[in-house]
């Protein structure tokens, strides 16, 4: 049987960071992944340009049943630490908006950087390697894998969440957690488009490809971003963000005129353009197609002067607080993240070590810590991987 200091299961964002940092401390690290490539989600991320961190990352950007858990690791490995690594490797990047840092070129630059760091530190990376069985040993863990049996004093679970099974996602990390007595909180798809039905679906399909700046709210959370109508329903950053706070049956409220008092504006337009049709006035703020469709489906199409004060109030209410009920989400097939996971109340926030089974660590998305859209999920992967690497 081969023996090593640390085995890390999962060569994604968190596993790679943990491996290169632990090996950099002189630990002997075996990093295994059942996929044929490391970091597949890194390659797919940020539309191919990897939104690798967010300059303004703070605990408020993360959801968890235990909101304090992420604070310590995030404070000890900040976006600036990762930016320093990226800069040392000469990877060009830019801020797209709202502190979101993207590669100028392809996401591959980030993966190449992490793999190069692993190589230099002497990480033994084994791809196409499944872990068949894990047992607790007298000191540490014994694993039976495709490359034979391995004993390690520390075992790190970095298997990620359930989103996008075609990229290698499995529930294996949750199984390991349960095997060693951990509670796993219910999981569901997050940062995911909504599907719609009935008249709302027809509206979405007709407006497919149209994007609007709006404020989307649900369950006390609000995001100002773009909403995108699609053939299946609603997407775009505003929708992905709010989807993480939505449960089936919940109503989502959309303010389509976020920069103005809708009623005041309609009164002003009525005074300025009394003979213009409502559709024409709405065309000042929406695309012509959207203005025409909204007027046709929601309001009376007639000159502004013919709209009574009550009717104008109705138009204002609809535009500033459009209430809609999604039919569902597109699920793990397209979700960027998985909400829920290993209960962080049973894991040390300082070391990421299990409080139930010494020498067992959980990092990254397998834990019940989920970031907003905008580079926060990678920052959690880097920070939690780095935290565990100090103690394995
Ligand atoms: C399309 C897409 C785009 C995204 N874009 C961004 C973005 O721009 N910015 C951002 O911050 N976040 C983004 N995310 C989220 C981000 O990719 C994840 O939060 C992050 O990768 C989680 O890191 P992780 O290491 O925990 O898991 P992962 O990166 O998912 O890695 C888990 C690894 O474990 C391996 N594994 C799973 N099961 C097993 C098993 N049984 N045996 C062995 N190995 C196993 C997998 O093959 C994988 O390599 C995106 C996600 C998706 C799906």
């Amino acid at each position: 049987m081969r023996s090593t200091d640390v085995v890390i299961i999962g060569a994604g964002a968190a596993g790679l960071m943990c491996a290169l940092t632990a090996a950099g401390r002189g630990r002997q690290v075996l990093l295994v992944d059942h996929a044929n490539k490391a970091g597949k989600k890194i390659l797919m991320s940020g539309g191919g340009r990897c939104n690798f961190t967010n300059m303004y990352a703070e605990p408020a950007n993360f959801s968890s049943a235990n909101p304090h858990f992420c604070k310590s690791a995030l404070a000890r490995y900040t976006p600036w630490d990762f930016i320093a690594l990226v800069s040392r490797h000469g990877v060009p990047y830019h801020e797209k908006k709202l502190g979101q840092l993207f590669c100028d070129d392809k996401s591959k630059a980030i993966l190449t950087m992490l793999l190069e760091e692993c190589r230099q530190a002497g990480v033994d990376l084994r791809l196409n390697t499944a872990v068949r069985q894990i047992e607790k040993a007298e000191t540490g863990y014994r694993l039976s894998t495709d490359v034979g049996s391995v004993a390690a004093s520390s075992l790190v679970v970095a298997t990620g969440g359930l989103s996008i099974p075609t990229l290698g996602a499995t529930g294996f990390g949750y199984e390991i957690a349960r095997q060693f007595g951990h509670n796993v909180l219910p999981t569901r798809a997050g940062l995911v488009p909504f599907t719609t039905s009935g008249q709302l679906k027809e509206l979405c399909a007709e407006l497919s490809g149209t994007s609007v700046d709006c404020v989307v709210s649900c369950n006390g959370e609000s995001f100002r971003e773009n909403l995108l109508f699609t053939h299946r329903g609603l997407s775009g950053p505003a929708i992905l963000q709010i989807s993480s706070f939505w449960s089936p049956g919940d109503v989502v409220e959309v303010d389509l005129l976020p920069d103005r008092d809708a009623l005041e504006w309609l009164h002003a337009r009525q005074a300025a353009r009394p003979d213009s049709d409502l559709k024409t006035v709405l065309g000042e703020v929406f695309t012509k197609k959207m203005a025409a469709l909204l007027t046709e489906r929601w309001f009376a199409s007639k000159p502004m002067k013919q709209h009574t004060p009550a009717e104008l109030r109705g138009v204002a209410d609809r535009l500033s607080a459009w209430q809609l009920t999604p039919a569902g989400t597109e699920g793990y097939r397209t979700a960027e993240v998985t909400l829920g996971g290993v209960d962080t109340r049973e894991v040390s926030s300082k070391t990421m070590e299990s409080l139930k089974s010494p020498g067992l660590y959980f990092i990254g998305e397998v834990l019940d810590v989920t970031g907003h859209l905008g580079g926060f999920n990678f920052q959690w992967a880097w920070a939690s991987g780095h935290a565990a690497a100090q103690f394995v």
Side-chain angles (χ1 to χ4, degrees), residues 66-276:
N66 178 14
H68 298 298
F69 179 81
C70 63
K71 290 182 178 172
S72 170
L74 289 172
R76 283 176 290 139
Y77 191 86
T78 68
W80 304 105
D81 292 310
F82 196 78
I83 292 165
L85 178 63
V86 166
S87 303
R88 228 171 30 247
H89 281 257
V91 176
Y93 65 90
H94 61 278
E95 180 187 359
K96 194 169 169 194
K97 58 178 175 179
L98 308 168
Q100 302 166 3
L101 300 187
F102 283 75
C103 294
D104 286 356
D105 306 315
K106 296 215 163 109
S107 305
K108 194 163 183 236
I110 297 294
L111 182 58
T112 304
M113 173 189 86
L114 296 168
L115 289 172
E116 178 54 20
E117 288 277 328
C118 282
R119 195 192 60 74
Q120 281 178 17
V123 172
D124 183 1
L125 169 62
R126 301 296 176 103
L127 299 170
N128 296 306
T129 302
V131 175
R132 312 236 165 262
Q133 215 184 343
I134 303 173
E135 289 168 11
K136 185 102 187 73
E138 222 160 89
T139 54
Y141 295 84
R142 245 191 325 267
L143 290 83
S144 114
T145 76
D146 285 352
V147 285
S149 295
V150 190
S153 43
S154 298
L155 172 62
V156 183
V157 179
T159 46
L162 295 170
S163 42
I164 321 221
T166 50
L167 293 181
T170 71
F172 189 51
Y174 308 132
E175 282 171 40
I176 302 173
R178 287 193 193 99
Q179 180 186 344
F180 292 99
H182 278 263
N183 182 34
V184 177
L185 296 171
T187 55
R188 64 191 168 88
L191 301 182
V192 63
F194 284 140
T195 55
T196 49
S197 58
Q199 289 187 343
L200 179 56
K201 185 173 183 184
E202 281 169 25
L203 178 75
C204 292
E206 280 183 276
L207 288 175
S208 174
T210 304
S211 172
V212 274
D213 173 27
C214 61
V215 173
V216 180
S217 310
C218 185
N219 291 321
E221 295 287 336
S222 288
F223 294 92
R224 167 105 188 235
E225 271 275 14
N226 281 340
L227 171 155
L228 175 70
F229 293 94
T230 72
H231 278 291
R232 285 187 296 268
L234 296 162
S235 188
I239 292 298
L240 298 187
Q241 295 279 31
I242 211 67
S243 72
S244 294
F245 300 90
W246 180 84
S247 297
D250 288 346
V251 171
V252 173
E253 188 175 293
V254 181
D255 181 354
L256 291 165
L257 294 173
D259 281 326
R260 47 193 107 212
D261 180 312
L263 189 56
E264 251 175 43
W265 177 71
L266 285 166
H267 279 309
R269 298 321 289 148
Q270 189 178 45
R273 303 183 71 180
D275 296 318
S276 297

Side-chain angles (χ1 to χ4, degrees), residues 9-15 33-35 41 44-46 51 158-160 164 168 170 172 335-337 364-365 375-378 381:
I9 308 177
D33 202 299
H34 69 154
K41 281 193 186 164
M44 286 284 289
S45 65
N51 178 195
T159 46
I164 321 221
T170 71
F172 189 51
E336 282 201 12
V337 287
E365 204 182 309
F376 302 104
N377 284 295
F378 278 138

Side-chain angles (χ1 to χ4, degrees), residues 358-386:
L360 178 66
Y361 296 77
F362 295 95
I363 57 174
E365 204 182 309
V366 73
L367 285 162
D368 169 37
V369 176
T370 310
H372 293 172
L373 187 78
F376 302 104
N377 284 295
F378 278 138
Q379 187 55 36
W380 172 245
W382 316 137
S384 58
H386 191 268

